[in-house]
Amino acid sequence: MSSTPNTGAQGACEPRFAAVRRVFEEHLASGREVGAAVAVVIDGDPVVDLWGGWADQAASVPWDRDTMVNVYSTTKGVTAICARSEEHTSELQSPCNLVCRLLLEKK
């Protein structure tokens, strides 16, 4: 048995999402991604949960299911969608007002 860790795609993927697995594997194999993970949940059911590659640039730590990563700029798209959906109402005066209203509703 080899002592080299398996750095290809690992995890579960429903057959109807085989294309997601294929593209994920291609990105890992091509070197476009050093390491990555992708998860898709539909109606509360996980349908894709894949990970692979390396957790560091030196390729010394294999990416595993629980590898922690920094996440940047993920809320910009969601904020834009919310602002766009509120644009047609008289309630939106500025993006700051929308964010404040949504935060206050959570309290």
Side-chain angles (χ1 to χ4, degrees):
M1 183 159 82
S2 171
S3 63
T4 303
N6 177 1
T7 58
Q10 300 176 57
C13 183
E14 287 189 7
R16 63 185 168 145
F17 294 99
V20 174
R21 178 183 280 277
R22 181 182 49 77
V23 170
F24 187 76
E25 289 172 341
E26 287 173 1
H27 276 253
L28 289 175
S30 72
R32 285 181 275 185
E33 300 292 343
V34 174
V38 60
V40 178
V41 177
I42 298 177
D43 294 328
D45 296 320
V47 294
V48 176
D49 186 11
L50 300 171
W51 63 90
W54 300 98
D56 63 336
Q57 288 290 81
S60 63
V61 179
W63 193 293
D64 65 28
R65 183 178 191 167
D66 298 321
T67 296
M68 294 184 65
V69 296
N70 291 329
V71 180
Y72 299 105
S73 300
T74 59
T75 59
K76 290 176 185 173
V78 174
T79 302
I81 290 168
C82 290
R84 180 73 177 148
S85 70
E86 295 285 327
E87 183 178 43
H88 301 291
T89 69
S90 60
E91 295 177 26
L92 180 65
Q93 296 173 14
S94 74
C96 291
N97 289 349
L98 172 63
V99 171
C100 290
R101 183 174 54 83
L102 293 174
L103 288 173
L104 288 173
E105 287 175 3
K106 295 286 185 197
K107 287 186 177 186

